[in-house]
Amino acid sequence: MASGLVFRGHEAQLVNDVYSAKPQKPWFSLRYIFREQRLHFLFFGILLASVFFLLFPSVSSPPAQAHDPLPASFSGRHDLTHWITTNTRAYDVAVHSSGRIPLGIKRKARRVVVTGGAGFVGSHLVDRLISRGDSVIVVDNFFTGRKENVMHHFGNPNFELIRHDVVEPLLLEVDQIYHLACPASPVHYKFNPVKTIISFRFLLFYSLNCILFVLITAIITFNNCLISSPMKMSKVLSTERTDLNNKITLVHVELDLENGILNGGSVAHKTNVVGTLNMLGLAKRVGARFLLTSTSEVYGDPLQHPQKETYWGNVNPIGVRSCYDEGKRTAETLTMDYHRGAGVEVRIARIFNTYGPRMCLDDGRVVSNFVAQALRKEALTVYGDGKQTRSFQYVSDLVEGLMRLMEGEHLGPFNLGNPGEFTMLELAKVVQETIDPEAKIDYRPNTEDDPHMRKPDISRAKELLGWEPKVDLRKGLPLMVSDFRQRIFGDQKEGATST
């Protein structure tokens, strides 16, 4: 019996056994590209974007005059440094004037703390940082600072003011720390000379606390190691070392001086030592860069003239000025120890005599003394024979140097001052020419440990920072006189009105 396969459809369909290739799909079809060739499309897009950014790296090109071509040859290293500095400035001007910043080069706004930011130098530094677009936190206890110096920033969302003494610990999240807090004039740092010296007893007490803590830490570490694996042992040692550094940083002595026990330091030396320790500890914890404003007083009554950064100084450790001189030398030591031992990024500036608006009217410094006395029709007080020499830099030059040092890659120390040298009699003559030619000069006995010569060698700052002062004394002094005149006679008018 024969059997067969019966197709039960409506109609029998003919089967074509001849092979035919799959029809090609059109490459120009977007549906085909997006659905079936997604990987190729992705790679093609990446390639296209890469070519675009290589050929057109910026949104808008800076003006042609903003950049000079690299010269064929340089006569020395100074020429190369000058070329880099000049073109960097021109580039910044081009960027800010056009309002558009090349892709990938926009500078991140920093969060900066300025201790002593309501003071003379600090307030001018705050102005520059705010104008640059940084968020600035001013920390000041107003011992010498004035709230009026920073009042024009009230209401600015990038400005904060904290009334705080840096001898007490402070916790902040910042990128940079400018440590300017310290009374810098003789009147202020001699106000309480005993309190200005932390003395050997503080350092001894501090050292004993450190040693005791080290012993306790060693015992704890040893006990943990007995019950831990080698890997856990390493972790324990690392943790204990971190805790030790943090706790040593925050060791603070606050005892009663009248009872014969040390009161943890003075206005100047306590700030220089304990305040610097606290700010260095903050920099270590948050990974901030730290700049210490030291002083030319670390050179004492110098035997080298002009003074280079390599000169170790000639300081009287038991003199009336030593509370300030030795305090700053100790602060420099602590700063370098934190750099070497804890890896903190630090910068050190040694500031020479600075003048300008917002100086305290009667702070004992020679420029402010002469200007205030001449405006009040008083005799100009000259101590000794008036042949002592000083150099005077305008505050804007100093602020520029501090910012270059902070942004640079060199630790320092750097002398920041004007190498123009004047005797006290020459300075008095300039003040007479500027304010009152009839002003008299009153000679008085010289003060103890008054340096005979003071002039900075700024060749290192010129070479490595590309910095040098621009404002001459005869150009900057009238700006200071205008500020003093407004404050002196403005205060008198207010007093007369209230009376």
Side-chain angles (χ1 to χ4, degrees):
M1 182 176 179
S3 63
L5 181 63
V6 179
F7 178 74
R8 297 185 180 275
H10 295 285
E11 293 182 357
Q13 296 182 359
L14 297 176
V15 179
N16 188 6
D17 293 335
V18 181
Y19 172 78
S20 61
K22 186 177 181 180
Q24 283 190 332
K25 296 188 178 181
W27 279 92
F28 55 83
S29 172
L30 294 178
R31 181 178 179 184
Y32 174 74
I33 293 175
F34 287 140
R35 180 167 293 184
E36 301 190 28
Q37 296 293 331
R38 282 177 293 185
L39 186 60
H40 293 84
F41 180 74
L42 178 63
F43 286 145
F44 178 75
I46 293 174
L47 178 62
L48 187 63
S50 301
V51 171
F52 174 80
F53 284 114
L54 286 174
L55 295 180
F56 306 99
S58 63
V59 176
S60 63
S61 301
Q65 66 272 20
H67 177 73
D68 295 330
L70 184 67
S73 62
F74 292 98
S75 59
R77 183 176 180 181
H78 174 73
D79 293 341
L80 177 60
T81 304
H82 177 72
W83 180 86
I84 294 172
T85 305
T86 303
N87 283 278
T88 301
R89 283 182 176 177
Y91 178 77
D92 290 339
V93 170
V95 167
H96 292 298
S97 61
S98 65
R100 305 177 74 183
I101 301 174
L103 295 176
I105 307 182
K106 183 175 181 180
R107 189 185 69 84
K108 178 185 176 183
R110 296 185 179 89
R111 191 167 172 83
V112 184
V113 63
V114 181
T115 66
F120 161 48
V121 175
S123 61
H124 287 279
L125 175 62
V126 169
D127 291 346
R128 282 289 304 275
L129 295 173
I130 290 287
S131 66
R132 191 175 70 173
D134 292 333
S135 295
V136 179
I137 304 173
V138 169
V139 177
D140 205 302
N141 66 350
F142 300 109
F143 178 69
T144 59
R146 300 168 61 246
K147 193 177 294 185
E148 291 78 8
N149 290 341
V150 292
M151 281 183 63
H152 53 286
H153 294 301
F154 288 4
N156 189 328
N158 290 333
F159 175 81
E160 297 179 55
L161 176 61
I162 301 175
R163 184 165 192 157
H164 181 84
D165 195 326
V166 293
V167 300
E168 304 294 340
L170 182 65
L171 299 178
L172 296 169
E173 291 292 334
V174 293
D175 303 306
Q176 294 179 344
I177 300 172
Y178 286 88
H179 184 41
L180 282 70
C182 184
S185 72
V187 169
H188 293 138
Y189 66 67
K190 291 179 183 178
F191 175 73
N192 192 339
V194 176
K195 195 181 175 186
T196 302
I197 291 293
I198 278 190
S199 89
F200 172 74
R201 281 179 293 177
F202 168 77
L203 296 177
L204 177 62
F205 189 87
Y206 176 80
S207 301
L208 289 175
N209 274 274
C210 295
I211 294 171
L212 179 61
F213 196 85
V214 167
L215 291 175
I216 295 173
T217 303
I219 295 172
I220 295 173
T221 303
F222 180 73
N223 290 333
N224 287 333
C225 291
L226 291 178
I227 59 174
S228 302
S229 64
M231 186 173 294
K232 290 183 179 179
M233 185 188 306
S234 174
K235 184 180 293 186
V236 169
L237 289 171
S238 176
T239 303
E240 296 298 336
R241 184 171 62 250
T242 301
D243 292 342
L244 172 63
N245 288 335
N246 289 335
K247 291 178 181 178
I248 287 178
T249 300
L250 298 176
V251 170
H252 176 55
V253 180
E254 195 66 52
L255 301 172
D256 187 4
L257 182 64
E258 295 181 356
N259 294 333
I261 305 175
L262 178 71
N263 178 313
S266 93
V267 174
H269 204 96
K270 187 174 183 180
T271 302
N272 282 327
V273 178
V274 181
T276 301
L277 273 173
N278 285 332
M279 291 300 105
L280 284 167
L282 174 62
K284 178 180 180 295
R285 287 189 293 274
V286 301
R289 180 174 290 184
F290 175 87
L291 187 147
L292 171 70
T293 54
S294 186
T295 173
S296 60
E297 295 292 335
V298 299
Y299 300 125
D301 190 5
L303 304 178
Q304 180 187 97
H305 192 75
Q307 294 83 54
K308 295 184 177 181
E309 291 88 349
T310 53
Y311 179 53
W312 290 357
N314 178 40
V315 177
N316 177 6
I318 59 173
V320 294
R321 303 169 70 101
S322 61
C323 58
Y324 183 64
D325 303 357
E326 297 290 5
K328 285 295 187 181
R329 289 163 73 96
T330 305
E332 287 193 17
T333 301
L334 291 169
T335 300
M336 290 308 299
D337 284 343
Y338 262 75
H339 171 68
R340 288 186 290 258
V344 177
E345 280 193 89
V346 300
R347 305 289 184 267
I348 300 176
R350 290 176 179 166
I351 300 175
F352 283 68
N353 292 61
T354 306
Y355 69 97
R358 303 178 190 167
M359 287 188 76
C360 291
L361 294 175
D362 301 298
D363 66 356
R365 285 182 276 197
V366 62
V367 181
S368 56
N369 274 1
F370 281 0
V371 171
Q373 289 170 342
L375 289 172
R376 292 166 176 159
K377 303 298 181 180
E378 301 172 357
L380 309 184
T381 304
V382 173
Y383 294 94
D385 57 8
K387 295 181 180 179
Q388 313 95 306
T389 65
R390 297 290 186 273
S391 60
F392 304 100
Q393 69 176 334
Y394 192 66
V395 63
S396 63
D397 287 331
L398 172 60
V399 169
E400 176 69 20
L402 292 176
M403 293 178 67
R404 289 195 181 209
L405 176 56
M406 176 66 91
E407 302 300 330
E409 299 302 321
H410 302 281
L411 276 68
F414 284 94
N415 289 336
L416 297 182
N418 194 320
E421 190 174 15
F422 293 83
T423 66
M424 298 301 97
L425 291 177
E426 290 172 340
L427 174 63
K429 184 177 180 181
V430 174
V431 172
Q432 288 174 328
E433 293 172 355
T434 306
I435 302 175
D436 181 11
E438 302 300 322
K440 307 294 184 181
I441 295 180
D442 179 20
Y443 290 91
R444 295 186 183 180
N446 201 2
T447 58
E448 185 179 347
D449 293 333
D450 187 37
H452 293 86
M453 298 179 296
R454 188 63 61 74
K455 176 183 177 180
D457 184 323
I458 62 169
S459 56
R460 192 162 183 257
K462 281 184 178 180
E463 179 182 3
L464 299 179
L465 302 180
W467 174 88
E468 60 181 325
K470 305 293 183 184
V471 182
D472 181 74
L473 178 63
R474 287 179 171 81
K475 186 183 297 183
L477 193 61
L479 302 176
M480 175 179 174
V481 171
S482 176
D483 172 71
F484 269 45
R485 180 177 282 115
Q486 191 276 330
R487 286 160 59 193
I488 291 174
F489 297 112
D491 292 345
Q492 289 181 359
K493 290 177 182 177
E494 289 176 6
T497 304
S498 62
T499 302

